[in-house]
Every structure is written in C-alpha cells, then in structure tokens.
Amino acid sequence: MAISSLKYKSAGRGPAVVFIHGFCEEKSLWKDFLNHLKGNYHVITPDLPGFGESPLNITPVSMEYFADEIRSLLKDLSVKECIMIGHSLGGYVALAFAEKYPEMLKGLGLFHSMAFADSPEKQENRNKTIQFIEKNGVAPFADSFVEPLFFMRNRKNLEREIQTMIETTRNTSIISIIETTKAMRDRKDRTDVLKTTQVPVLFIVGKDDGPVPLEKNLEQCYLPKHSVVHFFSDCGHMGMFEKREETLKAVEKYLELCG
C-alpha cells in the first residue's frame, strides 16, 4: 500500500475528526480547533496536495484526487471512520470523500462551503483568476484575494490573521494555485450527496460571506435528512477567525451529536 505524502498534524485520542483547509490555506488554519478538541477527540489536520507542506505530485488535480489522498492518509493512521469538516475548498473535498467513501463517515461539515457546482459566471471568474496569475504572478493575486474573504467591519481587528493568510498564499506555488482553481471550476454538483447521506450535516454560514452567498446556503441546508445549521451575522468567509468562539462552540456541539 502506498504511503500518503500528505503532511498533517494529529493530536488527541477518541473519535477521529478531520478538518480540511480551504484554497491557499494550510493546516494551521485549524490550530485553535485542534488544541481545544484534542482532549476528547483524535483531531487530524492535513495539508492538501500543493498547499502548506504537502507536495503536489500530479496534475491535473480534482476533488476526487484530493479525497483519495485524504483516504490514504486515514488508512496510514488506521482511522476507519471519522467526522470530516471542510472549509470552502475543503468542503468540496469532504463532499467528494462522502460520495466515494460514505462508509468511513460519521458526520460531514460544510464550513463556509457548498455542494453546488460553479455557475457559468463563477467559472468565468475562475478563468480570469488563472489569466491574472499567469500574467502577474502569485504575489499580486495574494494581495487582492485574501482581504475580501473577511467581512469589512472585521478586517481591522483581524489584520494579523489577514497578513498571515496573505503570506501563506504568497508562499503557495503558482502551479498549485492554477491547477486547484481549474479543479474548483470543473467540479461536479454534489447536492445528491447531501440528499442521500445518512449522517448529520453541519453548515457554518456567514451572513456576509462573498464566496458562498447566504441564498446558496439557504438552498442547500434543507437537503440532508439531518441538518445542523448555524448562521453568523457580521461574518464573511472566515468564521474560524471572525467568530472564533462561536464557531468552535458550534463544532463542539455538533461533534457531541455525532457521537
């Protein structure tokens, strides 16, 4: 069996909980969650291929490929079932995992994420992003990409977090960014996964989230048989920072529900 090349942090004992970061992020995104939850859970925070410390070994990439890499890591760690929570891109990966390996899931969380495919307009915006990066490089993209993820009124108080994310994005390879942007653009609709899953589904929703608008969350949150939905006002796309205590509490209660 191939050994996973994913780098990760792992702490604690108990039911396994996997947190998957979003686009141009890395495993330290979840450090507060890992530190808080490790007393009762086996918390695993991987770097997706091409991000953080994990190498990008193949191109093109896809959500299915990312899901397979997470599965390989879990097999290496002898984890047979887990609760999986993904932020943004990480949610797309978690949905692909849920579709391919439903027997391994006890819970599924979409943390500022959605099951819908990109609209034609969004696909065109992805293409424009790729063209911009190919022409100008990663640094100008990083400088324009990160700040709008945060609700405007939160940006001043979260300057340190914003700067850290800008540096993380700047340190991500151009190939990883472009190939993953293509994979997000081309991903399939997975609303059927929400409709058919037998596990409780957590939705963390920022009412002022630009990338995942409130109306899209309202469309998807009723699809599972068992939904747990938290709406946060004055919150954009980065609730783990913008509503640090509130989102941590919401996740903790959800984990208790999943057993």
Side-chain angles (χ1 to χ4, degrees), residues 58-78:
I58 68 162
T59 58
V61 298
S62 65
M63 299 306 124
E64 293 83 358
Y65 164 68
F66 287 153
D68 288 343
E69 289 294 298
I70 296 291
R71 179 176 181 265
S72 294
L73 173 62
L74 295 180
K75 290 186 77 172
D76 291 347
L77 296 174
S78 299

Side-chain angles (χ1 to χ4, degrees), residues 178-250:
I178 289 175
E179 290 300 320
T180 304
T181 300
K182 292 177 182 177
M184 293 190 293
R185 177 195 66 194
D186 298 337
R187 76 187 189 281
K188 64 186 252 187
D189 181 283
R190 286 197 165 87
T191 50
D192 279 349
V193 174
L194 295 183
K195 292 175 183 176
T196 58
T197 185
Q198 300 301 304
V199 302
V201 180
L202 171 69
F203 296 92
I204 298 290
V205 180
K207 289 186 177 180
D208 301 284
D209 188 339
V212 186
L214 178 60
E215 58 267 22
K216 300 305 290 186
N217 274 294
L218 293 174
E219 286 181 46
Q220 71 177 354
C221 65
Y222 76 92
L223 296 176
K225 293 179 181 178
H226 188 174
S227 294
V228 179
V229 188
H230 293 271
F231 294 97
F232 295 103
S233 300
D234 299 328
C235 181
H237 195 61
M238 303 302 299
M240 67 286 295
F241 301 129
E242 298 180 78
K243 297 290 180 179
R244 197 180 306 261
E245 295 300 321
E246 295 92 333
T247 55
L248 186 54
K249 186 178 294 185

